[in-house]
Amino acid sequence: MSFLTSQTHLHITTWVVAIVIFLIAAFMGKNSKGLHMALRLFYVLIIITGGALFITGMDYGQGMLYGFKFIGGILVIGMMEMVLVRKEKNKPTGMFLILFAVFLLITMFLGFKLPMGQSFLA
């Protein structure tokens, strides 16, 4: 297994685990402080592995699309955090859940479509 493949698999694993933790924490309500802190650790891991893939992606000549994917990933993380913080404060989260879903779909589409992707949508 090449280094790039294992790097991609690590990135995918971190965001899949983060999304599962996010969904559990979002539906638990106010009693999810421990999950929220674990999720923040996964944010850091996602950013580190995504940043490494972003730097590697510059060799494929599609740096702008990888840049859009990177920004999309940051927006997904931001929406996840906004949903959980607003849920703790008993404020409405509907708009942020919709934005989370939209940014997640865009980011996943770019991730699978770009040359380092897993050819899931090809």
Side-chain angles (χ1 to χ4, degrees):
M1 185 185 305
S2 73
F3 176 71
L4 180 60
T5 304
S6 63
Q7 202 176 25
T8 305
H9 286 204
L10 179 62
H11 183 64
I12 291 171
T13 302
T14 56
W15 61 255
V16 167
V17 171
I19 290 172
V20 169
I21 292 173
F22 166 71
L23 292 174
I24 292 170
F27 290 113
M28 274 183 69
K30 284 187 145 188
N31 300 329
S32 62
K33 286 207 183 276
L35 285 176
H36 196 172
M37 292 308 293
L39 185 59
R40 287 178 176 158
L41 171 66
F42 275 92
Y43 294 160
V44 172
L45 294 173
I46 290 169
I47 291 171
I48 290 170
T49 58
L53 287 173
F54 175 69
I55 291 168
T56 307
M58 292 302 157
D59 296 337
Y60 286 89
Q62 294 187 351
M64 189 165 133
L65 286 176
Y66 280 106
F68 286 147
K69 182 186 175 291
F70 190 81
I71 290 169
I74 297 296
L75 289 170
V76 169
I77 290 172
M79 294 305 110
M80 291 165 76
E81 187 67 16
M82 289 298 292
V83 166
L84 293 179
V85 168
R86 289 181 68 87
K87 187 163 284 278
E88 282 181 17
K89 295 180 179 183
N90 288 327
K91 292 185 177 179
T93 59
M95 177 183 66
F96 292 106
L97 280 171
I98 292 169
L99 288 172
F100 161 74
V102 168
F103 292 142
L104 180 65
L105 289 174
I106 291 169
T107 305
M108 286 179 63
F109 176 78
L110 283 173
F112 286 126
K113 195 70 175 157
L114 288 167
M116 283 193 307
Q118 297 294 320
S119 298
F120 180 70
L121 299 174

